[in-house]
Amino acid sequence: MLPYFHTLYFEATRHCNFACDSCSSGSHIKDKEWGKELTTTEIIERVLRPAYKLGTRYIAFSGGEFLLRPDAFELLMEANSLGFRISVVSNGSTLNDKAIHKLKDLLGDNLLVSLGINSFDNAVNTSSRNIASDKLLRLIDKLEAAHININICVTIGMHTVDSLHDTLNKIRELKLPNNRIPFSPRHSDSKNLMFDKETMQHKIHPELRKYHQGYVSFVPFFISPKLYEIYSGQNEIAHKVPTNPSIGCWCGSFYSVNPEGEVSPCPLLGDHFSGGNVSTEKLKDVLYKSELFQKIVSRKDFGGKCGKCRFRFTCGGCRTMAYYHTGDLFGEDPTCFIDNLSDNELKEIELEMEKNFKNYIRLSELGGLYTSPEKEK
């Protein structure tokens, strides 16, 4: 079984050739002094090697726009030689024919390209990501022709929710996996773009839960802890956070390192919460000894309905939504609508999610994110 912190989201640079107003990494803030970004040697010695040693097996290189780092391919080569499963998160602008061929030559099949697409409505995507979705569709064709695996990252906020149904349907037509990214005002004043409980209940959750290939880092996640234990061999008392496969909020399953070396439980919380900096502290100590990371995996101590919920272990509530809506990282997720549901309505959703969860397990096993308890024995 995979341990805690099996996945690292590494924001290697804030440099970007886009200037999206709601950029999570703050790349659009050109006059801010961020501090010195980690050097090549620091990344290799203080991040990559210790991360692999402590059990991290998946790494997503992001930014900004990761491939704008002069040492991007050197870092990819090092990560590949260590044995990481690798993904590159991109706005698509740097993935020209030369870069695609170079990535394929360097990494072979050990590459997943994650593309950010907020909507397949050109007007919506252009206004929120500074790139037309038609251009990204042409890029998807190129990547598939090169036999490179693709994932779609969909940012969900009030500016994209009305086109969400069509966006997810298009992703399903393309037969691609996706993950949802809740809009957060990490480096934006647009708090009004965050969705609320009613929008989650009536527009977002019904779309997300119907497709198992979008069950990555997805909440509210209504799977019985007893049912999950049957499939995973894990329970809250022994494991605190589900990792076989990871479900619900991924805090504790993944972590992030920002360009300056601060370690956070989630990339959307980067620059607001840090358990320590890899330049001055050992990564293992930050993840396993810092107060922040010890508290983030203790879901029984969360406040409000999240700490009391029977789905606490398998969901955990979104820590990003808890913080940006209420200011309390360890409080309840105010976008969860479980208290709006009758027993029959909740049971119906549980059955739907259970069916798709079984398919998610099969997908996770192929990706190395799941080992059946029988095989573990």
Side-chain angles (χ1 to χ4, degrees):
M1 296 180 187
L2 290 170
Y4 293 163
F5 313 122
H6 55 66
T7 297
L8 165 59
Y9 190 94
F10 180 35
E11 291 182 327
T13 183
R14 296 191 195 270
H15 184 45
C16 189
N17 50 357
F18 284 9
C20 307
D21 290 339
S22 57
C23 175
S24 175
S25 66
S27 297
H28 61 305
I29 309 174
K30 302 303 182 185
D31 58 347
K32 184 176 177 65
E33 295 183 8
W34 293 103
K36 184 182 177 183
E37 293 186 353
L38 296 173
T39 66
T40 308
T41 300
E42 286 176 319
I43 292 171
I44 292 172
E45 298 295 335
R46 307 290 298 181
V47 180
L48 298 184
R49 290 178 181 173
Y52 193 83
K53 187 174 181 180
L54 66 85
T56 302
R57 290 297 178 266
Y58 295 81
I59 183 168
F61 287 95
S62 180
E65 182 63 14
F66 170 65
L67 291 181
L68 293 178
R69 270 194 74 116
D71 61 355
F73 287 94
E74 181 180 353
L75 296 175
L76 289 171
M77 183 169 63
E78 178 68 21
N80 190 51
S81 67
L82 285 169
F84 284 103
R85 299 284 291 272
I86 295 171
S87 67
V88 172
V89 183
S90 176
N91 62 30
S93 63
T94 58
L95 293 171
N96 53 33
D97 290 341
K98 182 179 179 181
I100 290 172
H101 292 141
K102 190 172 182 179
L103 285 168
K104 186 66 177 178
D105 289 344
L106 178 66
L107 300 175
D109 293 331
N110 187 26
L111 173 63
L112 173 72
V113 170
S114 289
L115 295 174
I117 298 177
N118 291 353
S119 174
F120 284 98
D121 181 314
N122 266 323
V124 175
N125 207 67
T126 302
S127 65
S128 59
R129 296 196 66 90
N130 290 0
I131 189 170
S133 51
D134 287 351
K135 185 174 182 179
L136 291 169
L137 285 171
R138 291 193 292 272
L139 176 58
I140 288 171
D141 288 339
K142 284 187 176 183
L143 292 170
E144 289 185 331
H147 303 289
I148 292 175
N149 294 319
I150 304 165
N151 176 69
I152 304 297
C153 303
V154 182
T155 297
I156 302 176
M158 299 306 293
H159 55 321
T160 63
V161 70
D162 287 337
S163 60
L164 181 62
H165 174 81
D166 292 340
T167 298
L168 294 181
N169 276 350
K170 182 63 178 178
I171 293 171
R172 289 161 194 159
E173 288 176 14
L174 294 168
K175 295 181 172 60
L176 296 176
N178 68 276
N179 64 287
R180 72 90 174 99
I181 303 173
F183 173 82
S184 68
R186 176 183 167 192
H187 287 296
S188 166
D189 295 328
S190 302
K191 191 172 181 178
N192 61 302
L193 297 182
M194 296 179 70
F195 56 77
D196 55 20
K197 178 165 65 174
E198 286 67 33
T199 305
M200 168 60 84
Q201 178 178 357
H202 299 294
K203 291 188 176 182
I204 299 174
H205 205 267
E207 296 297 333
L208 292 178
R209 69 179 183 244
K210 68 175 66 168
Y211 187 47
H212 71 275
Q213 286 187 290
Y215 271 30
V216 175
S217 187
F218 161 34
V219 295
F221 206 82
F222 300 131
I223 291 292
S224 160
K226 290 183 179 179
L227 178 69
Y228 179 79
E229 185 173 4
I230 291 172
Y231 288 110
S232 70
Q234 293 185 333
N235 60 64
E236 184 179 31
I237 295 174
H239 300 90
K240 292 188 177 180
V241 174
T243 63
N244 189 46
S246 294
I247 54 173
C249 177
W250 270 42
C251 284
S253 288
F254 70 3
Y255 60 103
S256 70
V257 176
N258 78 3
E260 296 79 36
E262 301 292 343
V263 187
S264 182
C266 171
L268 296 179
L269 299 169
D271 307 322
H272 292 277
F273 292 93
S274 173
N277 191 296
V278 295
S279 296
T280 56
E281 301 175 65
K282 293 181 179 179
L283 179 62
K284 185 175 182 179
D285 288 345
V286 174
L287 295 178
Y288 287 93
K289 296 181 180 180
S290 70
E291 181 182 1
L292 173 62
F293 279 91
Q294 288 186 48
K295 288 181 69 175
I296 207 75
V297 299
S298 185
R299 295 180 172 180
K300 66 180 178 61
D301 296 322
F302 287 172
K305 61 187 177 185
C306 284
K308 302 173 183 177
C309 183
R310 70 182 179 92
F311 299 105
R312 179 178 64 202
F313 177 59
T314 51
C315 176
C318 180
R319 295 302 95 206
T320 291
M321 291 292 99
Y323 171 65
Y324 287 109
H325 271 296
T326 73
D328 185 358
L329 178 63
F330 306 104
E332 68 177 46
D333 175 358
T335 68
C336 176
F337 54 89
I338 190 170
D339 47 356
N340 287 355
L341 301 173
S342 67
D343 290 344
N344 287 338
E345 288 172 328
L346 180 57
K347 186 62 178 178
E348 185 177 342
I349 293 174
E350 277 191 81
L351 291 173
E352 180 184 5
M353 294 192 69
E354 178 184 342
K355 178 182 177 181
N356 284 319
F357 174 64
K358 293 176 182 178
N359 290 324
Y360 174 60
I361 283 181
R362 297 185 188 100
L363 184 71
S364 298
E365 190 166 21
L366 290 173
L369 286 164
Y370 171 75
T371 302
S372 69
E374 289 77 14
K375 289 184 180 179
E376 189 71 19
K377 293 175 184 178

